[in-house]
Amino acid sequence: MCRWKDEQTGESKYYCSIEDTGILNILKYDRNNGILAATFSCRAVNRDDPNDIIEITQGRFDIVWGTINEKEFP
Protein backbone atom coordinates (compact mmCIF):
# COMPACT_ATOMS: atom_id res chain seq x y z
CA MET A 1 0.00 0.00 0.00
CA CYS A 2 1.19 3.52 -0.71
CA ARG A 3 -0.20 7.00 -0.29
CA TRP A 4 0.11 9.63 -3.00
CA LYS A 5 -0.50 13.26 -2.03
CA ASP A 6 -1.42 15.86 -4.65
CA GLU A 7 0.77 18.87 -3.87
CA GLN A 8 -1.71 21.34 -5.38
CA THR A 9 -4.91 20.14 -3.70
CA GLY A 10 -3.47 18.40 -0.62
CA GLU A 11 -5.71 15.40 -1.40
CA SER A 12 -4.33 11.96 -0.60
CA LYS A 13 -5.01 8.84 -2.63
CA TYR A 14 -4.29 5.34 -1.38
CA TYR A 15 -3.10 2.63 -3.75
CA CYS A 16 -2.89 -1.12 -3.13
CA SER A 17 -0.61 -3.40 -5.14
CA ILE A 18 -2.19 -5.68 -7.72
CA GLU A 19 -1.36 -9.34 -7.14
CA ASP A 20 1.34 -10.85 -9.37
CA THR A 21 2.31 -7.55 -11.05
CA GLY A 22 5.49 -6.72 -9.16
CA ILE A 23 9.09 -7.54 -8.45
CA LEU A 24 10.92 -7.13 -5.14
CA ASN A 25 14.72 -7.21 -5.05
CA ILE A 26 16.31 -7.40 -1.60
CA LEU A 27 19.55 -5.40 -1.70
CA LYS A 28 20.53 -5.68 1.95
CA TYR A 29 19.26 -7.67 4.91
CA ASP A 30 21.21 -7.11 8.10
CA ARG A 31 19.38 -8.95 10.85
CA ASN A 32 21.84 -7.93 13.58
CA ASN A 33 21.34 -4.20 12.93
CA GLY A 34 17.70 -4.42 11.80
CA ILE A 35 18.31 -3.04 8.31
CA LEU A 36 16.38 -3.94 5.17
CA ALA A 37 16.91 -2.27 1.79
CA ALA A 38 15.13 -3.17 -1.44
CA THR A 39 14.01 -1.98 -4.84
CA PHE A 40 10.63 -2.81 -6.34
CA SER A 41 8.24 -2.31 -9.21
CA CYS A 42 4.52 -3.00 -9.38
CA ARG A 43 1.10 -1.90 -10.57
CA ALA A 44 -1.31 -0.54 -7.96
CA VAL A 45 -5.00 0.34 -7.92
CA ASN A 46 -6.66 3.25 -6.14
CA ARG A 47 -8.66 1.79 -3.25
CA ASP A 48 -11.52 4.25 -3.94
CA ASP A 49 -11.51 4.13 -7.77
CA PRO A 50 -10.74 0.78 -9.44
CA ASN A 51 -10.26 2.54 -12.79
CA ASP A 52 -7.30 4.53 -11.40
CA ILE A 53 -4.21 2.33 -11.81
CA ILE A 54 -0.59 3.46 -11.47
CA GLU A 55 2.70 1.76 -12.26
CA ILE A 56 5.73 2.15 -10.00
CA THR A 57 8.90 1.39 -11.96
CA GLN A 58 11.81 2.47 -9.75
CA GLY A 59 10.58 2.11 -6.17
CA ARG A 60 13.03 1.82 -3.29
CA PHE A 61 12.85 1.55 0.47
CA ASP A 62 15.42 1.48 3.25
CA ILE A 63 14.17 0.46 6.68
CA VAL A 64 15.91 0.55 10.04
CA TRP A 65 13.54 -1.40 12.30
CA GLY A 66 14.62 0.40 15.47
CA THR A 67 13.37 3.74 14.12
CA ILE A 68 9.86 2.63 13.05
CA ASN A 69 8.61 0.36 15.83
CA GLU A 70 6.30 3.04 17.21
CA LYS A 71 5.11 4.41 13.85
CA GLU A 72 1.81 3.84 12.04
CA PHE A 73 1.64 3.16 8.31
CA PRO A 74 0.71 5.04 6.24
Side-chain angles (χ1 to χ4, degrees):
M1 180 176 197
C2 70
R3 178 178 62 184
W4 175 79
K5 186 173 183 179
D6 186 317
E7 292 180 6
Q8 293 179 342
T9 66
E11 175 189 10
S12 289
K13 294 181 180 181
Y14 293 87
Y15 291 86
C16 301
S17 61
I18 300 171
E19 189 173 347
D20 296 326
T21 66
I23 298 171
L24 176 68
N25 295 305
I26 304 297
L27 304 174
K28 180 177 184 178
Y29 177 65
D30 181 341
R31 185 176 181 168
N32 293 330
N33 294 304
I35 297 171
L36 175 64
T39 58
F40 66 95
S41 63
C42 70
R43 294 181 67 210
V45 61
N46 183 323
R47 73 174 183 189
D48 300 316
D49 179 0
N51 295 311
D52 181 11
I53 295 174
I54 62 171
E55 185 169 357
I56 300 170
T57 58
Q58 295 180 347
R60 179 182 173 110
F61 61 84
D62 298 276
I63 296 172
V64 179
W65 292 114
T67 63
I68 63 169
N69 288 339
E70 307 267 330
K71 307 286 185 207
E72 249 184 72
F73 290 100

